[in-house]
Amino acid sequence: MRLTCPLCGARDRREFTYYGAEDYLNRPAPDAPPQAWDDYLHNRDNPAGVTRDLWYHDMGCSSWLLVTRNTVTHEILAVEAVADRKGGAA
Amino acid sequence: MRYSGLRVITEGLFGNKGWKPAWRDPAPKAEYDAIIIGGGGHGLSTAYYLAKNHGMTNIAVLEKGYLGSGNIGRNTTIVRANYFLPGNSEFYSHSMKLWEGLELDLNYNVMHSQRGLINLFHSDGQRDAFVRRGNSMINQGDDAILLDREGVREMLPYLDFEQTRFPIYGGLYHPRGGTARHDAVAWGYARGADRRGVDLIQNCEVTGIDIEGGRVTGVQTTRGAIKAKKVGMVVAGRSSQVAAMAGMRLPIESHILQAFVTEGLKPVIDHVVSFGMGHFYISQSDKGGLVFGGDLDFYASYASRGNLPMVEHVMEAGMTLMPMIGRAKVLRSWGGIMDMSPDGSPIIDKTHIDGLFVDCGWNYGGFKAVPASGFCMAHLMATGESHPVAARFTLNRFATGHILDEEGTGSQHNLH
Ligand SMILES: Cc1cc2nc3c(=O)[nH]c(=O)nc-3n(C[C@H](O)[C@H](O)[C@H](O)COP(=O)(O)OP(=O)(O)OC[C@H]3O[C@@H](n4cnc5c(N)ncnc54)[C@H](O)[C@@H]3O)c2cc1C
Ligand SMILES: [Zn+2]
């Protein structure tokens, strides 16, 4: 499996560390109810098919990346830098 | 048909013509008292104990493929009771006791072999951690023996003791640990459940869960609608998809775990051995193949195959620990879909929907749990109360903070 980092180009999967689902980008407000924090930290859609999750390019440019990929075929559909998203990382 | 030595001899004398299929192939009825979704180890053992311990025989197991086509037939078969945390410790201890009587109970040879498990350690810090774990196992009433380096050398002379990178300081020896034949466990429970009247329905995928007024009323399947007032979701790696049919979002992420087997060799590895530096563990099957594995591939996946980096990592770890295995040829490698929970411990609980129960979150350790999981899930489905040894496997423990993080790695699905 290879991920195409927007800064570094196509690199081997070994260069990246997987963190978890896209949910980690939607951090609740500090005073959000416990249910919101439970959803953020623990509960997942966990789809068999297209998903979006966070990877860290630790052996490269140290960017956080939002990867769109298929969990059944391991096909990578898109890779974008979290920092480039509107509003940036929360 | 009861199996016995006499039966084998008699059948042998008469051309083995008397054997019958080990279970029926019934068509689904319109309604059951309870339905189990998933014909893996946990689903089949749940059905068995519902029938045996609670007299519920008008029940069905619905399996989308064939019985034992999931992880129950893909794992590396290690059975152990060496857990540390209260909550896990008593559960796996209970499971070990069930394993020890399983073959007589099922009248089926599951090839349970208590050949002993040795977890190696490679530093003073690791030794301290294993001493604590060993003491907690002994407190639970199970067995643990601390081996020093010479003690390990006596039992496992083939390890590389001379290396300086990961010197072997000793090992925690769990004599009652070992292995069992994975698919025989599924078959034994399937036959046992069938003999008590349970309908095992294969090629029957659940596609919907019917709920009326907050109560479960049945399921939709590829073989039609089936009614039941109690439904158990026991589908391991597919738990999120099935729970979504009931509008639920589980604290589960599915990950891939790989395993490997070599060509058959003469007996060379007599125990189950795990390397404390870099996850690697190995045993030898009764056919002679070396069966080994390591860590998850670490990213969410539903592909029943993994990627090369973990293959390399596992091979490197194996070669570091026991260079002799470098001469063996790997025959096959494969992967299974693991239902990873945020604390690495399982869930056996009710849901917010009346009559709907869930048994999942087995991570990569659910084979050893097959007997106790079915025992406790059956208890829960029959009585509505959690069995005491599974009382902490609640669905809401993440929200309330009562997590069971055996490895102490924190609340992230792929770190356990
Ligand atoms: C490589 C590997 C090594 C492992 N090694 C060990 C080990 O050494 N020791 C240990 O204790 N554990 C080990 N495990 C973990 C263990 O195998 C699992 O935790 C356990 O088998 C999961 O429970 P199960 O047997 O019920 O799952 P499965 O056998 O996967 O059963 C789930 C069943 O549900 C069915 N299903 C799914 N969706 C539906 C639907 N919609 N309708 C109907 N049926 C459905 C599936 O077809 C499947 O048969 C390992 C796992 C793997 C992959
Ligand atoms: Zn990069």
Side-chain angles (χ1 to χ4, degrees), chain A residues 14 23 45-46 69 71 74, chain B residues 240 249 253 300-302 312:
Chain A
R14 289 172 183 79
D23 302 57
D45 288 341
N46 192 24
R69 62 188 186 92
T71 56
H74 291 167
Chain B
S240 296
R249 202 164 171 258
E253 193 170 273
S301 170
Y302 284 87
E312 286 178 353

Side-chain angles (χ1 to χ4, degrees), chain A residues 5-9 11 15-16 57 60-63 65:
Chain A
C5 172
L7 292 176
C8 312
R11 297 296 180 93
E15 292 192 5
F16 302 86
H57 197 182
C61 62
S62 298
S63 294
L65 304 173

Side-chain angles (χ1 to χ4, degrees), chain B residues 30 52 158 164 254-255 271 285 314 318 322 324 374 379 385:
Chain B
K52 184 188 169 213
Y158 49 80
T164 52
S254 293
H255 281 260
H271 312 87
S285 78
V314 170
M322 42 180 87
M324 69 169 183
H379 185 277
E385 301 292 328

